[in-house]
Amino acid sequence: RRSGPHATRRSVTRLSVNVNKIAVLRNSRGGRDPDVVRAARACLDAGAHGITVHPRPDARHIRADDVRALAKLTAERGVEFNIEGNPFAPARDGYPGLLALCEETRPAQVTLVPDGDAQLTSDHGFDFARERDALIPLVGAFRNLGCRVSLFVDAGADIEAARASGADRIELYTGPWAEAFDAGTPETALPAFVNTAYQARTAGLGVNAGHDLSQANLGAFLGALGDIDEVSIGHALIGEALYDGLDTTVRRYLAITDAVAARA
């Protein structure tokens, strides 16, 4: 940390709000309410830097039509749109495939995640020893669309393999951090995350983070890891917003990221 008149301020971590859970609630009843685009608009009005979605082939929450509508909204607002998904999942009725969906909507960022239909949620990163060679042409295809490519990774992942895939960033799967924080032992999880983020930066990769981050654990995580480009937060944020509203909740997250940057 530098001090004095020539001190440099850590850049503020950008907040991208994942609106999948809005779609879960809508789909549980059918119809159009609650409206995913309206919710995304409220988050952006509160200052969120972007919107994230994770459309799955089974359309359990975000659907292809949502992706198209949100692409239009984020383009109008001039903010980042981040689409997450499994690049290996084949197209099926109602789901054109991740590459085709990104070719149509041209998100600023695509985050590749190795999730399958049987997974309730994303719960691990790529196994680069097994999947790197298959990822290389896919990463290239997404980059050819003009998308920044981020790879979902576990703390302790082979960063050199991630770099060799051609990706621009990694996204740290932070589920283990949230579990350790809830258990009162955050120090047990931090070293692996700190080391992986450092290796990524050294390799020239940007670093994102996401999964089970919340108002309770976000500040400690960002404070320990240094520069994180972006956090994608959905489940906790939408849950907290049930009590306090989207506007207030998004602003509280932004206050956390601002405070961490100011302390650096």
Side-chain angles (χ1 to χ4, degrees):
R1 178 178 176 178
R2 298 175 61 186
S3 59
H6 301 294
T8 57
R9 187 176 186 270
R10 178 186 295 173
S11 58
V12 177
T13 299
R14 298 175 69 81
L15 172 65
S16 186
V17 178
N18 187 319
V19 294
N20 277 19
K21 288 299 186 294
I22 302 296
V24 169
L25 184 58
R26 175 199 63 194
N27 294 354
S28 70
R29 184 69 177 265
R32 301 175 64 179
D33 293 321
D35 188 284
V36 173
V37 173
R38 182 177 177 183
R41 187 179 294 114
C43 293
L44 296 176
D45 287 345
H49 303 104
I51 297 296
T52 290
V53 291
H54 189 151
R56 286 179 169 83
D58 60 10
R60 70 180 77 166
H61 35 59
I62 288 292
R63 303 185 301 243
D65 59 319
D66 296 320
V67 175
R68 298 180 184 106
L70 290 167
K72 180 179 179 181
L73 171 67
T74 52
E76 290 171 349
R77 292 295 188 94
V79 297
E80 181 176 290
F81 190 32
N82 172 43
I83 300 179
E84 302 177 344
N86 186 345
F88 301 126
R92 65 179 73 170
D93 187 35
Y95 179 74
L98 184 62
L99 183 61
L101 200 53
C102 289
E103 184 174 15
E104 181 180 353
T105 58
R106 303 299 173 108
Q109 178 172 267
V110 58
T111 301
L112 306 185
V113 182
D115 64 332
D117 282 0
Q119 288 178 234
L120 181 62
T121 186
S122 306
D123 59 14
H124 65 276
F126 282 103
D127 178 355
F128 290 111
R130 182 168 58 89
E131 298 168 314
R132 188 196 68 172
D133 290 346
L135 278 169
I136 290 173
L138 290 168
V139 169
F142 286 105
R143 293 193 72 194
N144 285 340
L145 295 178
C147 303
R148 180 198 313 127
V149 178
S150 180
L151 299 179
F152 201 60
V153 306
D154 299 312
D158 183 348
I159 293 302
E160 177 54 33
R163 186 202 62 77
S165 74
D168 303 285
R169 292 185 183 181
I170 60 166
E171 178 174 326
L172 293 166
Y173 165 55
T174 49
W177 155 254
E179 291 176 5
F181 188 92
D182 288 346
T185 58
E187 69 281 355
T188 63
L190 273 178
F193 284 101
V194 171
N195 186 53
T196 305
Y198 173 77
Q199 289 183 27
R201 289 290 188 193
T202 301
L205 297 172
V207 181
N208 298 341
H211 204 87
D212 291 337
L213 293 173
S214 67
Q215 289 183 57
N217 65 39
L218 179 61
F221 184 80
L222 295 180
L225 264 72
D227 286 333
I228 296 291
D229 292 295
E230 175 184 292
V231 289
S232 174
I233 305 178
H235 183 81
L237 188 153
I238 299 303
E240 292 157 350
L242 291 176
Y243 308 107
D244 300 315
L246 280 171
D247 187 88
T248 295
T249 303
V250 169
R251 292 179 189 277
R252 286 176 177 171
Y253 275 95
L254 295 172
I256 292 170
T257 59
D258 286 346
V260 171
R263 292 196 301 265

